[in-house]
Amino acid sequence: MLGLMQNEPLLISSLIEFAERHHGDAEIVSRRVEGDIHRYTYKDVAARARQVANALDAMKLPQGDRVATLAWNGYRHLELYFGVSGSGRVLHTLNPRLAPEQIAWIANHAEDQVLCFDTTFLPLVQAFHGKCTTIKQYVALCDADKLPKDSGIPGLISYEAWIGAQSSTYHWPSFDENTASSMCYTSGTTGHPKAALYSHRSTLLHAYAAALPDVMCLSARDAILPVVPMFHVNAWGIPYSAAMTGAKLVFPGPAMDGKSIYELMENEKVSYAAGVPTVWQMLLTHMKAGGLRFSTLKRTVIGGSACPPAMIDTFNEEYGVEVLHAWGMTEMSPLGTLCTLKNKHLDLPADEKMKIRLKQGRAIFGVDMKIVDADGKELPWDGVAFGDLYVRGPWVVREYFKGEGGNPLVKDENGVEWFPTGDVATIDADGYMQITDRSKDVIKSGGEWISSIDIENIAVAHPAVAMAACIGIRHPKWDERPIVVVVKKPGMEVTAAELLKFYEGKTAKWQMPDDVVFVDAIPLGATGKMLKTKLREILKDYKLPNT
Ligand code: ADP
C-alpha cells in the first residue's frame, strides 16, 4: 500500500520560490568585480533567475544542456545557480584556477553550450575559447556599458543585456527530481578530471541535511559568508541551504585576502563563514598583525583538508569562534561528516573535548560509512584500526559523467554498493571518523603506516611555522621515510634541528620526520589544498640524510 501524501518532486526552483515568498527581504550582499558593494534581496534573486531561465528558453537551449560559469562568489552567479538548474539545464561551475588547456578540455568534455564569466577572467577566456568546440554563446557578467570591447570573443554579450531583454515572469517547469541539475569536475590530480553530476533530488536532500543543527546549523538569523568558492562543489551547498533557511548571504567576490574578508565580515555582521584551512590562515595572520577582533562571527566550518589543531585553538581561545571541522568530497556534494560533540561529552575537560573536535566528525544522516581492510573486510570502530573509508547515500555519486573510469562502486558481501573515498581513516566507538591520510599520501615505513596529517599538525603547532606538508621519501631499508616541508611565518625563525626536537614526546620515535626542508611556498591546487604531487616533483632529487 502506498502512502497518501503529495508526491511533490524535490526541485531547485522550489528553493528560490520559497526564499522569495518567505524571506523576500533577506539580503544578499556581494563585493563585485568592479570593487563596489552590491546589495539586494532574495526577491530580486528570484526575479532575475526567472529572467535567466527566459534567456535560455529564448536561445532554445534544450533541457539537460550545460551552462558553464567561470565566476567568483557573487549575486549574478547565484542567479545562474537557480535560473539554469531551475529551468532544467545543468549548471557547470568551471574552476578558474585551472590552466587554460585544462579548462578547455573540461568544457569540451562537458559539452558546455553557454559560458558566463566574470570580466576578471577575460584574459583566461581569451586564452582558451579558441579550443572550445561546443560553446555557442559567451556572456560577460557585467553591465551592458562595461562589455569589454575588441575582446576577440565572437558574439560576446553582457549578462545585463542578455537577461535585461527578458521578462521576470516565468513558470518553473516540473520534472523528475532525479534530473541532472549541476556538475563539478574533481581536480584530477591524477589523470583527466571526472565529473560528479548532481541531481535536483541529491541537491535538495543535501541542502536539508547541511542545515541541520549538528551539521552547519543554518537559520534565518544567520549572515553567511562562504569563502569557499561557488566553483568548489557549489560552495559546499551553502547557496541552496541559505535559500532553504532564509539566511542572509555575503559574497566576497574576487577579494579573498584577509583584510577584505575581515572588513566584509564586520560590516555585514557575518555570523557564520566557511572555507579551507589555507584561507583562514591568511585571515588569522591579518587579524593577529592588526590586533583585530571579530564582533559578530560565531562559527566557522573548516574542511577540504585537515584543519590543524592550532587553528581550532586560535579560533576558539583567542577569538571565541567555534570551529566545525567538516569532511567531504566532490563526489559527495560534498558533505559527509561534521564534528560536533554529543550530550555525553559536555562535561568532559576542555582537552578531552578538543581531542574529539580535531576529528573529521560523525556521519550526517543520509551518509553511511565504514572502514575496510585490503580484502574489503569491515574493520572495528575502536578509534585505532584504520582502513579505506567507504561511503554510501543519496548525495554520493553512483557513477561519473559519461561513465568515465567505469563503475566506481564496490559491492559488499550483502550486495550493497559503496563508494571508496580514497581516504584512509579510523572510526571510534562513538562514530567519530578521523582521516589519517589520502591513500596516495600515506607513508609506508618498515611495513607500518605513518599519517602525514599527524606529522603536519605537529609542525604547524610550532609558533614559527605557517604551513607544513609531510611526504614520504624512498628509503633503501624502510621503503619510505617521512620528511616535513615547511613554510615559516614572516619574520619568524626556526631551524631544522629545533623543529625535529619539537616532535619529541608528541609522536612515536619511528614516526618522527627524518628531515625538515624549508621552502618559500608550498604549491596549492585549484581548490586551495596543498598539492603533494607537485611537491614530490619539486623534491625529486632530494636525498634523505644518511642514505
Ligand atoms: P579534490 O581536491 O581531489 O578534487 P575534493 O575537493 O572533493 O577533491 O576533496 C576531497 C578530499 O579532500 C577528501 O577525499 C579528503 O582527502 C580531503 N578532505 C576533505 N576534507 C577534509 C578534512 N576535513 N580533513 C582531511 N582531509 C579532507
Side-chain angles (χ1 to χ4, degrees), residues 30-37 70-77 96-97 118-121 226-227 229 231 251-258 260-261 264 279 282:
S30 313
R31 193 193 294 278
R32 303 206 299 171
V33 169
E34 293 87 331
D36 59 346
I37 298 287
L70 203 53
W72 300 108
N73 291 4
Y75 66 104
R76 291 178 176 128
H77 207 173
R97 296 199 183 119
D118 271 331
T119 49
T120 21
F121 299 125
V227 183
F231 55 78
F251 289 127
M256 307 283 264
D257 59 289
S260 309
I261 298 280
L264 204 54
V279 167
M282 281 196 292

Side-chain angles (χ1 to χ4, degrees), residues 7-337:
N7 194 8
E8 198 60 37
L10 298 172
L11 299 177
I12 286 175
S13 54
S14 66
L15 291 172
I16 194 60
E17 277 195 313
F18 177 85
E20 178 183 34
R21 198 165 155 77
H22 299 278
H23 302 279
D25 63 354
E27 275 188 312
I28 316 293
V29 180
S30 313
R31 193 193 294 278
R32 303 206 299 171
V33 169
E34 293 87 331
D36 59 346
I37 298 287
H38 175 275
R39 190 178 290 279
Y40 72 172
T41 64
Y42 276 116
K43 204 163 175 350
D44 302 308
V45 182
R48 286 164 55 91
R50 290 193 289 267
Q51 288 179 292
V52 169
N54 277 324
L56 296 171
D57 279 5
M59 287 176 65
K60 303 210 168 1
L61 194 72
Q63 303 267 307
D65 269 17
R66 268 73 70 203
V67 175
T69 60
L70 203 53
W72 300 108
N73 291 4
Y75 66 104
R76 291 178 176 128
H77 207 173
L78 187 68
E79 294 159 9
L80 288 161
Y81 262 55
F82 294 110
V84 171
S85 305
S87 67
R89 284 87 184 189
V90 176
L91 180 83
H92 175 200
T93 47
L94 284 161
N95 186 334
R97 296 199 183 119
L98 296 173
E101 307 72 51
Q102 287 174 302
I103 298 181
W105 186 92
I106 290 174
N108 288 337
H109 188 265
E111 299 170 44
D112 293 336
Q113 302 294 312
V114 180
L115 172 64
C116 302
F117 63 94
D118 271 331
T119 49
T120 21
F121 299 125
L122 179 64
L124 186 58
V125 178
Q126 285 168 325
F128 71 73
H129 80 95
K131 299 190 186 78
C132 294
T133 52
T134 57
I135 299 176
K136 297 194 203 77
Q137 180 68 63
Y138 288 86
V139 181
L141 294 167
C142 63
D143 291 330
D145 60 352
K146 300 263 174 24
L147 186 68
K149 296 197 176 51
D150 307 322
S151 66
I153 298 168
L156 180 66
I157 50 170
S158 79
Y159 179 76
E160 294 302 330
W162 187 50
I163 68 164
Q166 302 297 330
S167 157
S168 59
T169 307
Y170 181 81
H171 185 70
W172 295 110
S174 182
F175 39 75
D176 185 333
E177 63 186 17
N178 290 300
T179 304
S181 61
S182 53
M183 70 198 303
C184 190
Y185 279 71
T186 60
S187 54
T189 38
T190 50
H192 276 309
K194 299 188 286 257
L197 185 62
Y198 311 115
S199 69
H200 285 257
R201 173 184 153 83
S202 71
T203 304
L204 271 268
L205 292 176
H206 182 270
Y208 277 116
L212 283 171
D214 268 1
V215 186
M216 295 213 258
C217 189
L218 305 180
S219 82
R221 290 166 299 290
D222 276 312
I224 310 172
L225 189 144
V227 183
V228 53
M230 288 165 81
F231 55 78
H232 187 196
V233 213
N234 301 322
W236 300 347
I238 287 174
Y240 305 116
S241 296
M244 180 177 270
T245 54
K248 171 175 172 175
L249 272 172
V250 182
F251 289 127
M256 307 283 264
D257 59 289
K259 179 172 182 289
S260 309
I261 298 280
Y262 176 74
E263 279 172 10
L264 204 54
M265 280 181 166
E266 287 299 299
N267 293 344
E268 298 304 327
K269 299 192 169 59
V270 167
S271 59
Y272 188 82
V276 295
T278 43
V279 167
W280 296 133
Q281 193 56 54
M282 281 196 292
L283 178 71
L284 291 175
T285 306
H286 172 74
M287 308 259 313
K288 187 129 199 138
L292 304 169
R293 314 287 313 160
F294 293 114
S295 36
T296 54
L297 188 70
K298 297 276 177 308
R299 289 163 292 138
T300 171
V301 61
I302 303 185
S305 44
C307 180
M311 185 174 282
I312 301 186
D313 265 346
T314 309
F315 265 116
N316 245 333
E317 278 154 36
E318 291 183 33
Y319 298 104
V321 174
E322 184 188 3
V323 168
L324 300 165
H325 194 190
W327 167 84
M329 56 198 310
T330 306
E331 288 87 339
M332 300 180 72
S333 307
L335 293 177
T337 64

Side-chain angles (χ1 to χ4, degrees), residues 428-440:
D428 69 18
D430 288 322
Y432 287 82
M433 184 274 286
Q434 184 158 28
I435 303 273
T436 55
D437 249 312
R438 273 194 153 179
S439 52
K440 56 181 186 287

